[in-house]
Amino acid sequence: MPTFHRISPISRLAAAALILSPVAASSDAAPQAARSAITVDTCPPHFPANWRCLRVAVPVEYAEPNGPTTDVRVVVAPAQQPKPQPEAVILVQGGPGGSGTAVAGSGFIGSIGALQADHDLVVVDERYVAGPEALVCPPTGPIDEGATWGEDIFSPAHLKACLASSAGRAKLETLTTETFARDIESVRAALGYDALEFYSGNYGGRIVQEYMRRFPDRVRAAVLADSGPMGEPVSWSRGRWTMRAVRATLAACRSDPECHRAFPRIEQEFEALMSRIGKTGLRANIEGGQGRVVGSLRPSTVGVDAKGAVVFDRPTVLAFLGAHYHFMRDVASIPFEIHELASGDAARVASVARDIVGFQRATFGGLALGVWMSVECSEEAPAMRDRIARGERPESEWVPSILVACRTWPHGEVPSDFHDPVHSRAPVLLLASPMEPSYPGELAPRVAAGFSHVRIVVDAKHGHVFDDDWQMCLGPQAIAFLDTLDLNAVDPRCAARFQFRPFKLPKAPG
């Protein structure tokens, strides 16, 4: 029987795919429990033929290692050379509640694909974020009615329904960052890797930091993109950070002659629009979700819906704008969309509203909100309550709804050192962006404070680090670093060449 310790990754995957069984025997370091924990799934047809889609059984509670188990989904892209490096590169998606395995074949692995020459690239999901077990919470309204998609994902009614759906499928108290870090260690042991390198974005960087704290001897290096310190409740400030990013974008429009000519009052339009939406909501009558405009689009009281009407509240519209910062090609549309929403013209408002509906569909369908809430209630809610007790006001409008839900949402307790800075001697590359609306670049120095060997690269003209320009600059820098483990191999000068995309402008008459 092949062993898992210090064998080639291709042999390791063959063993996982063809040999593992509940009665597998072993005489080396990987325990029998780990060997029999791997289930092989069929990968999607668009995956390369040699990739492997696996489920690794892990304890529901690590305090009870011999108790019930649940599965963690894993995708492995094996190294291409016959004698690869003994450590794997672990890719960790953001969230909480986002699935990396779901996007593994659409760019997540490919973004550092050059490392696959002599490294296994391994995507490890948080538990309950993919597959039929995912704690996704659909909207409470009829799917075929347009008004459904104006529902606030953090409204009390939706969170109540989400809790009822999630609590019956998972032990919510176990869904914490520490658990997810321990899941990665379980995957490492099951697949037999001696050490790990990491590549992560947003919340995934917190999982990596927690892994570095708990298993320091297993970490060789880490790339943390758009990450934040363990002690910062990012939900508290996300609204302010998003507003700042939008205002910076509109200031760039003002400095661009063509954009300023097309939208000479865009900054004033934005402030007036957000003020109006805060009072009355944004109402668009889109019949049957097909896009045909009916009736008047003058503002209406939120919650008073005609048939087919969609009413969006201010935090939903702001979240829609914030989502643009994943790709600067989308940021280029922000002045145009704000101008259309501020116009009061029925057809123009409805056109953008259809995009907001699409954003809502993707949010309800793509985020495992049950996982998100469990992490939020255990790790961020206590810090946010402390700030309110000190007389501070939340800088995101969803905070009150989240805190109300956390009163009844089952959640775990974090370790006493969880919010402390993470210390490590492993080399760490931090990639940061000032306009990132969830983990802005201003947080990077606080993340770096605990690392002995660290470098921060700031990409000043971007939101999300993982953008279309990734392969032009930051991607090769991350690859060079993880390939050499040398922070001096990073050359950040290319990031200074980035500029805003040409802004979307109204079509010329005729």
Side-chain angles (χ1 to χ4, degrees):
M1 173 82 56
T3 64
F4 275 41
H5 190 59
R6 294 188 183 279
I7 64 175
S8 78
I10 293 177
S11 298
R12 181 185 299 120
L13 289 172
L18 302 174
I19 298 172
L20 286 179
S21 71
V23 295
S26 171
S27 60
D28 67 74
Q32 178 175 330
R35 294 169 183 277
S36 61
I38 300 176
T39 301
V40 180
D41 286 334
T42 300
C43 287
H46 65 279
F47 279 19
N50 67 334
W51 286 16
R52 294 293 179 262
C53 298
L54 313 172
R55 283 178 287 130
V56 176
V58 297
V60 170
E61 297 188 76
Y62 280 94
E64 300 178 10
N66 297 318
T69 64
T70 188
D71 286 343
V72 171
R73 292 181 178 267
V74 177
V75 171
V76 183
Q80 296 163 340
Q81 294 181 4
K83 294 183 178 180
Q85 298 296 324
E87 71 277 356
V89 178
I90 304 292
L91 295 80
V92 187
Q93 176 72 305
S99 169
T101 62
V103 297
S106 57
F108 193 30
I109 286 179
S111 62
I112 55 168
L115 285 173
Q116 194 183 351
D118 59 356
H119 291 81
D120 282 3
L121 305 184
V122 184
V123 182
V124 181
D125 266 350
E126 302 152 29
R127 55 177 73 179
Y128 299 112
V129 300
E133 71 273 19
L135 301 185
V136 176
C137 299
T140 57
I143 299 299
D144 59 349
E145 290 188 11
T148 290
W149 301 104
E151 182 175 11
D152 179 348
I153 194 170
F154 293 118
S155 69
H158 183 248
L159 289 177
K160 181 178 179 180
C162 184
L163 175 57
S165 170
S166 300
R169 293 183 284 157
K171 189 165 186 178
L172 301 178
E173 297 90 340
T174 66
L175 304 183
T176 65
T177 302
E178 183 194 19
T179 295
F180 303 149
R182 293 188 181 280
D183 286 348
I184 291 176
E185 175 62 9
S186 294
V187 170
R188 182 206 63 78
L191 296 181
Y193 297 111
D194 293 330
L196 303 175
E197 298 174 13
F198 285 98
Y199 169 83
S200 66
N202 290 84
Y203 169 74
R206 284 195 169 177
I207 299 175
V208 173
Q209 289 180 72
E210 184 65 6
Y211 185 93
M212 297 174 79
R213 190 201 311 271
R214 303 299 166 196
F215 307 100
D217 294 339
R218 296 293 185 185
V219 182
R220 293 198 66 191
V223 173
L224 308 180
D226 296 326
S227 192
M230 305 298 284
E232 176 65 37
V234 295
S235 290
W236 179 272
S237 302
R238 186 176 286 116
R240 176 174 64 85
W241 290 334
T242 304
M243 287 287 287
R244 182 177 64 186
V246 173
R247 286 168 177 153
T249 302
L250 301 184
C253 174
R254 177 173 18 97
S255 299
D256 180 275
E258 291 188 358
C259 191
H260 182 60
R261 188 179 305 113
F263 312 116
R265 301 187 66 257
I266 191 62
E267 290 161 301
Q268 293 89 336
E269 289 179 359
F270 173 64
E271 302 300 336
L273 174 68
M274 297 308 294
S275 177
R276 174 166 65 83
I277 295 175
K279 297 175 182 177
T280 65
L282 174 70
R283 178 188 178 96
N285 290 298
I286 306 174
E287 186 178 14
Q290 300 302 309
R292 184 162 63 84
V293 178
V294 296
S296 170
L297 285 178
R298 286 190 295 272
S300 171
T301 302
V302 174
V304 180
D305 296 333
K307 182 179 180 179
V310 185
V311 182
F312 305 102
D313 62 7
R314 175 185 156 103
T316 296
V317 174
L318 195 58
F320 164 71
L321 294 174
H324 286 59
Y325 288 89
H326 279 75
F327 297 100
M328 294 306 284
R329 64 171 185 262
D330 295 333
V331 172
S333 298
I334 285 179
F336 175 83
E337 291 173 343
I338 289 172
H339 184 67
E340 298 298 279
L341 291 176
S343 70
D345 179 89
R348 292 162 63 185
V349 173
S351 178
V352 179
R354 287 195 293 274
D355 290 338
I356 303 177
V357 168
F359 163 72
Q360 288 289 81
R361 287 182 182 272
T363 301
F364 281 110
L367 176 69
L369 185 60
V371 175
W372 194 97
M373 281 299 300
S374 298
V375 174
E376 189 77 0
C377 292
S378 65
E379 298 173 9
E380 297 216 341
M384 292 193 293
R385 284 193 292 266
D386 288 345
R387 292 189 177 192
I388 290 173
R390 295 196 298 266
E392 300 180 40
R393 293 185 59 185
E395 298 173 332
S396 296
E397 294 174 66
W398 273 326
V399 168
S401 294
I402 294 170
L403 292 181
V404 168
C406 285
R407 295 174 186 167
T408 55
W409 194 281
H411 56 276
E413 298 294 328
V414 300
S416 59
D417 63 348
F418 177 81
H419 292 105
D420 295 343
V422 175
H423 296 274
S424 175
R425 293 188 59 81
V428 176
L429 175 62
L430 294 177
L431 305 177
S433 303
M435 290 193 298
E436 214 288 324
S438 296
Y439 294 85
E442 67 188 55
L443 300 178
R446 291 170 54 192
V447 178
F451 298 133
S452 302
H453 305 286
V454 63
R455 187 166 188 179
I456 301 174
V457 176
V458 177
D459 180 6
K461 294 292 179 65
H462 274 85
H464 210 50
V465 161
F466 297 110
D467 182 57
D468 294 343
D469 291 331
W470 175 256
Q471 299 292 4
M472 295 170 54
C473 177
L474 297 181
Q477 305 313 312
I479 291 167
F481 165 62
L482 290 177
D483 195 36
T484 64
L485 305 185
D486 181 6
L487 289 168
N488 292 322
V490 177
D491 182 1
R493 291 175 294 178
C494 54
R497 297 196 298 267
F498 291 145
Q499 300 295 327
F500 277 92
R501 299 289 196 282
F503 288 103
K504 180 178 180 179
L505 304 175
K507 292 182 180 178

